[in-house]
Amino acid sequence: MADSPVAAFIVKQSGGRFKLIGTPYGTAPYGIAMPKDSGLAEPILAAMKALIADGTYKQLLDKYGLAEGAITTPAINGAIS
């Protein structure tokens, strides 16, 4: 048992020695932590929006077998806002 993104990466790198079984449960998006008032929140949000808009985000998720965990709308404090 492992976090689904970690497990997917291990499977991809294993050369067929591992495979995913079952279905992910209790999934939730990840966050990017930074100090409050660092001034980084808005630039990182803008960068995430740009990566989603130009397709880079999807390419990265596909590359590492993580497409099922994609978000469509990044947000600051998205878990509470």
Side-chain angles (χ1 to χ4, degrees):
M1 180 184 265
D3 193 35
S4 58
V6 174
F9 182 73
I10 291 168
V11 168
K12 187 170 180 93
Q13 299 298 312
S14 75
R17 293 181 304 211
F18 291 96
K19 70 177 183 175
L20 290 176
I21 60 170
T23 311
Y25 61 90
T27 59
Y30 285 93
I32 301 171
M34 63 201 73
K36 287 185 178 202
D37 302 321
S38 68
L40 294 173
E42 291 296 335
I44 290 175
L45 178 62
M48 285 299 302
K49 287 180 178 179
L51 291 170
I52 290 170
D54 74 7
T56 302
Y57 177 69
K58 182 181 180 328
Q59 289 174 347
L60 289 168
L61 293 179
D62 288 344
K63 178 179 179 178
Y64 294 101
L66 303 172
E68 287 184 27
I71 59 169
T72 56
T73 308
I76 296 172
N77 292 325
I80 59 171
S81 59

